Amino acid sequence: MTDDDAHVAGIATRLGAVRARIAAAEHDAGRPAGAVRLLVATKTMPASLIRAAIGAGVDLIGENRVQELVAKGPELAGLGVEIHLIGHLQGNKANPALRWATCVQSVDSPEIAARLGERSAEAGRVLDVLIQVNVSGEPTKYGVLPDSATDFAGAVAGIPGLRLRGFMTIGANSPDAGLVRAGYAHLRELRDAVVGSGLAGTTDVTELSMGMSGDLELAIAEGATIVRVGTGVFGARPR
Ligand SMILES: *Cc1c(COP(=O)(O)O)cnc(C)c1O
């Protein structure tokens, strides 16, 4: 077995373990099997390893940086994998983001929403978007604050060229599981408030992208529909 073979086998093994965790968490939460979709976070990973993950059954990946999206996109095209952008986006990168991603999960300002909507409409497309909310309020995290999230969602829902699908958050960086979980519950409540508002453009608001390698069980217990897992599948990222 070469090093490459070993790495590829490791990915398949870890992927199986992550899928088992998701299934167990769905069961424990009384949710139907398959209620939660796995997005594999591929930042810093070369296209060869991402292809190995796709070969092992991954059908949804997320990149943080447009530069990486552009660099790896051509090597991943045609493999049937769906790509989401899960990192902060600058307005001048809207076109390359649209070129490779079918969903931007990290919409966090009126400016970026407007820019993506314009570019998407120009291209004759409707781009799926999630609004990133900073549920913990940690200053190092991107995302709109919870207090302004429902108003912002109403505005994004009305932008031609965009289809608002839900909300995304990065959980609190805390060993206190109760605190982390409360943040995830808060995101669910925000989504439900937007759905309940009945505003135009909110009928497709179903998604909650929350939970990562370390805490996906907490997020699934609070209604995550997408969990984003990197190290759980690839092992530790090189620093
Ligand atoms: C890296 C990353 C993840 C995955 O984190 P892991 O701890 O490696 O599972 C999820 N979401 C975002 C936005 C990330 O940047």
Side-chain angles (χ1 to χ4, degrees), residues 93-153:
K93 303 273 172 58
N95 274 334
L98 269 161
R99 167 99 167 77
W100 296 110
T102 57
C103 175
V104 175
Q105 296 199 359
S106 44
V107 172
D108 58 6
S109 73
E111 294 73 27
I112 198 65
R115 186 69 69 98
L116 278 173
E118 267 166 38
R119 294 289 178 267
S120 173
E122 277 168 16
R125 290 202 18 211
V126 178
L127 177 72
D128 282 350
V129 294
L130 306 186
I131 289 172
Q132 183 173 353
V133 182
N134 183 359
V135 290
S136 67
E138 289 165 26
T140 53
K141 287 189 165 77
Y142 286 106
V144 299
L145 291 173
D147 281 353
S148 55
T150 50
D151 283 351
F152 183 47

Side-chain angles (χ1 to χ4, degrees), residues 7-8 65 69 104 109 113 218:
H7 208 143
V8 168
R65 300 173 67 230
L69 204 58
V104 175
S109 73
L218 299 176

Side-chain angles (χ1 to χ4, degrees), residues 35-56:
V36 180
R37 200 166 173 205
L38 171 64
L39 174 150
V40 172
T42 49
K43 58 174 174 270
T44 76
M45 292 298 151
S48 57
L49 293 185
I50 301 171
R51 277 200 303 269
I54 294 168

Side-chain angles (χ1 to χ4, degrees), residues 21-223:
R21 281 176 64 192
I22 293 171
E26 287 171 339
H27 178 266
D28 289 350
R31 301 181 58 196
V36 180
R37 200 166 173 205
L38 171 64
L39 174 150
V40 172
T42 49
K43 58 174 174 270
T44 76
M45 292 298 151
S48 57
L49 293 185
I50 301 171
R51 277 200 303 269
I54 294 168
V58 168
D59 63 1
L60 173 61
I61 65 172
E63 282 287 353
N64 288 67
R65 300 173 67 230
V66 170
Q67 292 92 318
E68 284 195 62
L69 204 58
V70 169
K72 298 176 213 174
E75 293 186 76
L76 301 175
L79 298 179
V81 73
E82 195 181 329
I83 307 179
H84 291 186
L85 186 71
I86 61 172
H88 178 67
L89 178 63
Q90 277 159 349
N92 61 355
K93 303 273 172 58
N95 274 334
L98 269 161
R99 167 99 167 77
W100 296 110
T102 57
C103 175
V104 175
Q105 296 199 359
S106 44
V107 172
D108 58 6
S109 73
E111 294 73 27
I112 198 65
R115 186 69 69 98
L116 278 173
E118 267 166 38
R119 294 289 178 267
S120 173
E122 277 168 16
R125 290 202 18 211
V126 178
L127 177 72
D128 282 350
V129 294
L130 306 186
I131 289 172
Q132 183 173 353
V133 182
N134 183 359
V135 290
S136 67
E138 289 165 26
T140 53
K141 287 189 165 77
Y142 286 106
V144 299
L145 291 173
D147 281 353
S148 55
T150 50
D151 283 351
F152 183 47
V156 171
I159 297 177
L162 302 183
R163 181 166 73 139
L164 181 62
R165 298 302 319 279
F167 294 88
M168 182 271 252
T169 196
I170 298 173
N173 184 12
S174 165
D176 179 349
L179 183 82
V180 175
R181 188 165 167 169
Y184 291 149
H186 199 168
L187 197 72
R188 172 170 44 74
E189 288 157 11
L190 290 171
R191 180 202 58 187
D192 292 348
V194 168
V195 172
S197 74
L199 284 172
T202 59
T203 47
D204 293 326
V205 177
T206 53
E207 305 292 341
L208 288 175
S209 174
M210 56 191 196
M212 315 201 297
S213 298
D215 66 0
L216 63 87
E217 286 84 0
L218 299 176
I220 291 172
E222 291 299 343

